[in-house]
C-alpha cells in the first residue's frame, strides 16, 4: 500500500501540511486484512471455513478449507483467486502446508481408512510422494515443506517399524535423515534455499529435541533450561530458526535459535506460545496465549512480541488466533474469525504511512514514515503525479522502531514535490 504527500515551498504550506497530518494520523492500523474466503464453485452453506498455513513472496497462500462437514481440502490463493487443489484418489482430507516461489505446494492427504499420503502440487497437478514400504499396509507420510529449489521434506515410514524425517526424492522414494542419538522418531518441518533442514527428533533420554540437518549431519538444538522438549518449524537463509521449547515449569514457549543461542520469545501474558515461520529479515510469527487464556496471532519484530489483533482493523476479522507464514515483504498468512463467527484464512499486508509533514529551516522538508519495526521500505519522489513513471527512488531503509524521520534537503522548483512509501523485500 502506498500514500503520497506533496511538498510545496510556499506560504500556504503550513495549512496544507496540517490538513495532511490529521488525515494520516487518523489511520492507526498497521496491517490491512483480506479475507481469503473459500474456492469458488462450491456451496458454502455448510463448509465455509478456511485455515492458512504458508505464504510465499508473491503473496500466494496455501492452506485448507471445509467443503462440507466431513471433508477438508487443500487450497492455493494466488493472483487474487482462491483455488481448490483437488484430491488424491481415495482421500477424504487434504491440507497444504507450504508453498514456494513457483507456487508448488507441499502437503498431506488422509484416506478413508486412515492412511496418510505426502503429496506435491505443481502446475495444476497433484502427485503422490509416499514411498511404498514392505510390511506397511497403512501408509504414513507427510510433506511439511518445500523450498524454492523444489526440494520437499517431511516425515514418512522408512521401514515397517520406523518413521523418520525424510527428503522426498520423487518416484515415491525418500532419503532417510535418521534420528538424534538414541531416538526412534523424527520429522522435518522446514527447509531453506541452501537445503538446510530443521525439525524434531526423539532422543535416548525419552525427550524430543529440535534439530538442524546440514551436510548429512543431524545436530540437536537443545531446549530451554530444565525442559525436555523442543521443535524447529522454520529456517531462513541466514540460518535463523523459529520453533518452540519447554522449560522447567512445563510451559512451551516460542523460541528463536540463532548462532547456538536459544531465545525465549515469551507469550502475550498467558502460559504457552509457538513460532511457526520466519522471514529473511528475522521477523517471526506464530500464536501465543493471552492472560485470559485465548490464542492470539503474534509478530516478533526482533525485540518484542506484538499481538497482531492490536495492529489490524476489526472490520474484517474479530480475532486472529494464529499466524503461520510471513514473507520477505512482511505479508502474513493468518487464521481467525470473521464478524459472522466463521473461521477463515486471512492475508495481512503491512500498511506504510507517511505522516507529520513539515517544512524545516532553510526550506528543507521532513516526513515521517510509519510502519512495523523491521519493515523495509522505499521512499520515492515525484514532481508530477500525472506520470506514474516519474516516481524516483530517494531512499531505501528499514524501520528499526515503528517510525523514522526523513529529510529532503533539495526542495527546489518546480513548486510541487510528492512522496510515497512502498514496502520493499
Amino acid at each position: 500500500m502506498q500514500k503520497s504527500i506533496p511538498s510545496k515551498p510556499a506560504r500556504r504550506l503550513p495549512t496544507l501540511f496540517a490538513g495532511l497530518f490529521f488525515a494520516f494520523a487518523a489511520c492507526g492500523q498497521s496491517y490491512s486484512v483480506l479475507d481469503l474466503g473459500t474456492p469458488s464453485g462450491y456451496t458454502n452453506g455448510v463448509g465455509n471455513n478456511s485455515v492458512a498455513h504458508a505464504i510465499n513472496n508473491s503473496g500466494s497462500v496455501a492452506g485448507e478449507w471445509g467443503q462440507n462437514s466431513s471433508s477438508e481440502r487443500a487450497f492455493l490463493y494466488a493472483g487474487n483467486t482462491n483455488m481448490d487443489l483437488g484430491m488424491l484418489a481415495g482421500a477424504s482430507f487434504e491440507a497444504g502446508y507450504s508453498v514456494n516461489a513457483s507456487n508448488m505446494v507441499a502437503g498431506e492427504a488422509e484416506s478413508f481408512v486412515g492412511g496418510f499420503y505426502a503429496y506435491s502440487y505443481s502446475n495444476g497437478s497433484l502427485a503422490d510422494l509416499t514411498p511404498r514400504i514392505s510390511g506397511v499396509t497403512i501408509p504414513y507420510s507427510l510433506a511439511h515443506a518445500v523450498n524454492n529449489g523444489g526440494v520437499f521434506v517431511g516425515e514418512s515410514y522408512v521401514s515397517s517399524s520406523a518413521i523418520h524425517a525424510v527428503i522426498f526424492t520423487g518416484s515415491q522414494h525418500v532419503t532417510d535423515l535418521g534420528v538424534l542419538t538414541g531416538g526412534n522418531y523424527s520429522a522435518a518441518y522446514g527447509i531453506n534455499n541452501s537445503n538446510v533442514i530443521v525439525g524434531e527428533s526423539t532422543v535416548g533420554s525419552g525427550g524430543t529435541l529440535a534439530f538442524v540437518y546440514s551436510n548429512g549431519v543431524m545436530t540437536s538444538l537443545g531446549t530451554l533450561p530444565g525442559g525436555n522438549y523442543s521443535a524447529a518449524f522454520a529456517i531462513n537463509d541466514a540460518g535463523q530458526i523459529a520453533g518452540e521449547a519447554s522449560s522447567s515449569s512445563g510451559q512451551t514457549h516460542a523460541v528463536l535459535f540463532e548462532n547456538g543461542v536459544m531465545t525465549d520469545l515469551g507469550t502475550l501474558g498467558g502460559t504457552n506460545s509457538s513460532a511457526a515461520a520466519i522471514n529473511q529479515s528475522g521477523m517471526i510469527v506464530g500464536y501465543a496465549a493471552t492472560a485470559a487464556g485465548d490464542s492470539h496471532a503474534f509478530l516478533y519484530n526482533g525485540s518484542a512480541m506484538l499481538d497482531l489483533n492490536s495492529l489490524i482493523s476489526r472490520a474484517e476479522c474479530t480475532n486472529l488466533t494464529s499466524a503461520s507464514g510471513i514473507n520477505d515483504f512482511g505479508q502474513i498468512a493468518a487464521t481467525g474469525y470473521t464478524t459472522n463467527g466463521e473461521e477463515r484464512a486471512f492475508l495481512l499486508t503491512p500498511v506504510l504511512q507517511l505522516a507529520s509533514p513539515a517544512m524545516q529551516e532553510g526550506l528543507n522538508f521532513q516526513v515521517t514514515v510509519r510502519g512495523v519495526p523491521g519493515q523495509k521500505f522505499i521512499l520515492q519522489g515525484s514532481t508530477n503525479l500525472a506520470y506514474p513513471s516519474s516516481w524516483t527512488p530517494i531512499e531505501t531503509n528499514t524501520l528499526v522502531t515503528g517510525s523514522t524521520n526523513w529529510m529532503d534537503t533539495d526542495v527546489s522548483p518546480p513548486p510541487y514535490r510528492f512522496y510515497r512509501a512502498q514496502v520493499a523485500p
Side-chain angles (χ1 to χ4, degrees):
M1 181 176 179
Q2 64 190 42
K3 293 182 182 293
S4 301
I5 289 183
S7 70
K8 185 176 68 169
R11 291 183 178 179
R12 291 176 293 173
L13 278 174
T15 303
L16 176 61
F17 286 161
L20 286 167
F21 170 74
F22 288 115
F24 284 101
C27 182
Q29 70 182 53
S30 296
Y31 288 86
S32 64
V33 179
L34 177 64
D35 181 352
L36 300 187
T38 57
S40 60
Y42 293 89
T43 300
N44 292 333
V46 177
N48 56 359
N49 69 294
S50 56
V51 175
H53 288 306
I55 187 171
N56 67 14
N57 276 351
S58 298
S60 299
V61 176
E64 61 193 84
W65 71 284
Q67 180 187 3
N68 53 53
S69 58
S70 62
S71 178
E72 292 286 327
R73 302 172 66 97
F75 76 80
L76 174 65
Y77 175 88
N80 299 318
T81 300
N82 193 324
M83 176 178 60
D84 179 81
L85 298 189
M87 192 79 78
L88 287 177
S92 60
F93 169 93
E94 199 168 85
Y97 292 140
S98 178
V99 57
N100 73 2
S102 301
N103 283 344
M104 300 173 72
V105 176
E108 57 103 349
E110 183 179 357
S111 71
F112 290 101
V113 295
F116 289 83
Y117 296 82
Y119 76 82
S120 65
Y121 172 87
S122 180
N123 297 321
S125 298
L126 289 169
D128 183 0
L129 300 177
T130 308
R132 272 42 178 179
I133 304 296
S134 176
V136 175
T137 57
I138 299 179
Y140 180 86
S141 187
L142 313 176
H144 290 298
V146 57
N147 67 9
N148 288 341
V151 180
F152 289 77
V153 299
E155 58 187 291
S156 180
Y157 272 111
V158 293
S159 71
S160 60
S161 60
I163 295 173
H164 287 180
V166 297
I167 299 172
F168 295 96
T169 55
S171 301
Q172 298 177 344
H173 290 88
V174 296
T175 296
D176 183 356
L177 304 188
V179 295
L180 292 174
T181 302
N184 57 17
Y185 162 80
S186 61
Y189 295 125
I191 180 172
N192 68 13
N193 293 315
S194 297
N195 294 330
V196 181
I197 299 166
V198 295
E200 67 176 11
S201 171
T202 55
V203 292
S205 63
T208 298
L209 297 180
F211 72 77
V212 57
Y213 180 93
S214 179
N215 297 320
V217 178
M218 181 180 288
T219 304
S220 171
L221 294 172
T223 188
L224 294 172
N228 65 353
Y229 164 76
S230 62
F233 297 128
I235 179 171
N236 64 16
D237 290 343
Q240 296 173 300
I241 300 168
E244 62 184 22
S246 66
S247 64
S248 57
S249 67
Q251 296 180 359
T252 298
H253 284 188
V255 294
L256 167 66
F257 305 88
E258 184 176 17
N259 297 324
V261 176
M262 183 185 300
T263 301
D264 185 345
L265 305 187
T267 70
L268 293 174
T271 56
N272 297 309
S273 61
S274 179
I278 184 169
N279 68 7
Q280 305 293 11
S281 300
M283 300 174 73
I284 296 171
V285 295
Y287 73 86
T290 66
D294 299 322
S295 176
H296 281 197
F298 77 77
L299 167 71
Y300 178 78
N301 61 16
S303 60
M305 180 181 287
L306 307 175
D307 188 339
L308 281 170
N309 287 287
S310 68
L311 305 178
I312 66 169
S313 165
R314 300 302 180 92
E316 292 288 338
C317 177
T318 58
N319 180 31
L320 291 171
T321 56
S322 65
S324 51
I326 181 168
N327 67 18
D328 298 332
F329 293 89
Q331 290 181 299
I332 296 170
T335 301
Y337 288 90
T338 67
T339 55
N340 294 327
E342 298 166 342
E343 187 178 36
R344 288 287 177 81
F346 291 94
L347 173 62
L348 277 58
T349 299
V351 176
L352 283 172
Q353 299 174 333
L354 298 185
S356 307
M359 289 300 297
Q360 305 295 312
E361 185 177 346
L363 291 183
N364 296 326
F365 181 74
Q366 178 177 289
V367 62
T368 299
V369 181
R370 293 177 178 169
V372 178
Q375 187 175 7
K376 191 175 182 180
F377 68 90
I378 299 173
L379 191 64
Q380 298 175 320
S382 174
T383 58
N384 191 339
L385 289 179
Y387 300 97
S389 61
S390 68
W391 287 106
T392 301
I394 298 173
E395 181 182 16
T396 299
N397 209 336
T398 300
L399 292 172
V400 177
T401 60
S403 66
T404 186
N405 294 326
W406 176 81
M407 185 82 70
D408 188 350
T409 60
D410 186 29
V411 180
S412 56
Y416 289 94
R417 179 75 64 87
F418 298 89
Y419 302 94
R420 71 179 183 183
Q422 294 183 314
V423 177

